[in-house]
């Protein structure tokens, strides 16, 4: 009788521990599932915002100078490619992390049903033990032998159910550890794959921006301010940036030209004076002959 009581107490303690283990998994796996699902939703929203950013960069690039336009378009192309990998990241996280955690809702429900069956068997055993004790106290006849027989059957049933529960919870614990390892390993692998690709793509995007030739685009911008029929700023700068030697050479050549012009004018005046004297001599000779 004492041994049966000890057996009931041992199974009761065992059932309590199993119930606590199942409740612990139910709570923390549920919290993990919710947080991982929120993480995936945040990643999906980040992908959507990145798509909007790509569209805006394309719209802005269309209004800019050639080199800047090309650099921005190349950057947007690389950034858009990254969002394709981010979409793959979202899908993999949903399938490899969130869904397996969701499955534990069903698994915990099944384990609770097993616990319920074990508790039912334990309660039946306790009831039979109580009945046997009352029978012995009221009527110490052969009826207590029948009660003991029923108690032993209930005890065997409880023991069998308890052992089955032990095997079930042992498999549950083993599978839980295995699943935790798989889920977190998948999470790490998915994130490493994405961030590895992200580093490669961001490197290409960085080079696309660094390769923009700002000087060439600045010349294009300046030429747009000054139409071709007007003197360009560059021409003005060149005209005003002659060396002092060039300016001195120009000033030295001016006196020579003036002197040449003066000599020509004097020579012309002397010739005109000689012609006038010849005309006067001819007139005088004509008068003498008359």
């Amino acid at each position: 009788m004492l041994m049966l009581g000890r057996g009931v107490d041992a199974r009761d303690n065992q059932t309590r521990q199993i119930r606590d283990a199942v409740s612990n998994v139910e709570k923390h796996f549920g919290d993990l599932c919710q947080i991982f699902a929120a993480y995936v939703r945040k990643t999906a929203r980040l992908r959507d915002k990145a798509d909007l950013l790509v569209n805006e960069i394309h719209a802005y690039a269309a209004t800019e100078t050639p080199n800047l336009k090309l650099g921005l378009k190349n950057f947007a192309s690389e950034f858009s490619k990254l969002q394709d990998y981010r979409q793959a990241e979202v899908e993999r996280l949903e399938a490899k992390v969130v869904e397996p955690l969701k499955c534990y809702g069903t698994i915990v429900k099944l384990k609770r049903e097993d616990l319920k069956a074990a508790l039912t068997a334990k309660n039946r055993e306790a009831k039979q033990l109580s009945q046997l004790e009352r029978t012995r106290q009221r009527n110490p006849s052969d009826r207590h032998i029948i009660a003991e027989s029923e108690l032993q059957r209930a005890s065997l049933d409880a023991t069998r159910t308890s052992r089955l529960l032990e095997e079930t919870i042992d498999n549950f614990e083993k599978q839980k550890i295995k699943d935790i390892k798989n889920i977190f390993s998948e999470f790490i692998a998915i994130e490493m794959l994405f961030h590895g690709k992200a580093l490669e793509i961001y490197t290409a995007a960085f080079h696309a921006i660094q390769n923009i030739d700002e000087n060439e685009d600045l010349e294009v911008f300046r030429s747009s301010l000054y139409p071709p029929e007007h003197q360009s700023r560059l021409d003005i700068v060149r005209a005003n940036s002659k060396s002092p030697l060039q300016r001195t050479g120009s000033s030295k050549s001016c006196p020579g030209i003036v002197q040449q012009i003066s000599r020509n004018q004097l020579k012309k005046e002397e010739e005109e004076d000689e012609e006038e004297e010849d005309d006067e001599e001819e007139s005088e000779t004509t008068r003498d002959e008359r």
Side-chain angles (χ1 to χ4, degrees):
M1 190 63 187
L2 184 61
M3 292 181 65
L4 288 172
R6 288 177 180 176
V8 172
D9 292 339
R11 283 193 290 273
D12 187 44
N13 183 54
Q14 180 189 59
T15 303
R16 189 182 304 109
Q17 289 181 351
I18 293 172
R19 186 193 301 116
D20 291 343
V22 172
S23 298
N24 186 63
V25 169
E26 182 180 31
K27 177 186 183 304
H28 291 290
F29 272 55
D31 292 343
L32 284 172
C33 183
Q34 290 181 359
I35 295 171
F36 270 121
Y39 180 91
V40 173
R41 289 193 299 271
K42 291 282 187 181
T43 304
R45 283 200 288 270
L46 180 60
R47 173 208 58 207
D48 294 340
K49 292 297 183 183
D51 289 338
L52 293 176
L53 180 58
V54 168
N55 293 336
E56 178 57 28
I57 291 172
H58 276 297
Y60 170 55
T63 67
E64 275 297 346
T65 47
N67 276 280
L68 183 56
K69 178 189 295 185
L70 180 62
L72 288 173
K73 284 188 173 182
N74 288 339
F75 172 84
S77 176
E78 295 294 336
F79 198 57
S80 177
K81 190 188 302 181
L82 179 62
Q83 305 323 306
D84 295 336
Y85 286 105
R86 201 185 298 276
Q87 174 62 26
E89 176 196 15
V90 168
E91 294 173 357
R92 291 187 183 118
L93 287 173
E94 186 71 31
K96 301 292 186 179
V97 177
V98 177
E99 285 300 323
L101 288 170
K102 281 183 180 178
C103 292
Y104 265 81
T106 303
I107 293 172
V108 166
K109 184 178 179 181
L110 293 174
K111 299 312 165 189
R112 287 197 178 280
E113 290 177 357
D114 293 338
L115 274 171
K116 185 178 179 180
L119 287 171
T120 301
K122 181 181 72 66
N123 291 336
R124 188 183 302 115
E125 180 186 21
K127 183 179 179 181
Q128 292 296 331
L129 180 62
S130 177
Q131 286 180 352
L132 175 61
E133 186 64 25
R134 285 197 303 269
T135 300
R136 282 181 171 176
Q137 290 176 357
R138 287 182 307 183
N139 188 8
S141 63
D142 292 340
R143 293 184 60 184
H144 75 278
I145 298 175
I146 298 173
E148 285 183 0
S149 177
E150 291 178 354
L151 174 61
Q152 289 203 3
R153 283 198 299 270
S155 180
L156 288 173
D157 185 39
T159 301
R160 183 172 58 253
T161 304
S162 179
R163 287 177 180 174
L164 181 61
L165 181 61
E166 284 179 14
E167 293 177 1
T168 302
I169 204 65
D170 186 75
N171 292 332
F172 171 75
E173 189 72 14
K174 187 188 299 182
Q175 188 64 41
K176 178 197 75 175
I177 296 172
K178 183 179 179 181
D179 288 341
I180 282 290
K181 288 176 65 177
N182 287 338
I183 289 169
F184 279 86
S185 295
E186 288 288 350
F187 174 75
I188 293 169
I190 291 167
E191 291 297 295
M192 285 179 65
L193 177 62
F194 170 75
H195 288 289
K197 288 294 183 181
L199 181 60
E200 177 183 338
I201 291 171
Y202 277 129
T203 300
F206 177 80
H207 289 310
I209 294 299
Q210 290 299 309
N211 289 337
I212 296 173
D213 188 343
E214 59 267 28
N215 292 326
E216 186 174 339
D217 274 6
L218 187 58
E219 287 298 325
V220 172
F221 176 73
R222 287 170 176 170
S223 65
S224 68
L225 293 179
Y226 298 96
E229 59 269 15
H230 297 286
Q231 188 178 21
S232 69
R233 184 179 296 179
L234 184 59
D235 292 336
I236 296 173
V237 171
R238 287 174 179 172
N240 292 332
S241 61
K242 286 184 177 181
S243 66
L245 290 176
Q246 290 175 323
R247 292 176 183 173
T248 304
S250 299
S251 61
K252 286 181 178 180
S253 61
C254 290
I257 295 172
V258 173
Q259 291 176 359
Q260 181 68 31
I261 292 172
S262 300
R263 284 196 296 270
N264 290 338
Q265 287 178 346
L266 289 173
K267 184 177 180 181
K268 185 176 180 181
E269 289 176 357
E270 290 175 355
E271 290 177 351
E272 288 177 354
D273 291 340
E274 289 177 355
E275 288 178 356
E276 287 178 357
E277 290 177 356
D278 291 341
D279 289 340
E280 289 177 358
E281 288 178 359
E282 288 179 358
S283 298
E284 290 177 356
T285 303
T286 303
R287 282 196 302 269
D288 291 339
E289 287 177 355
R290 287 178 182 175

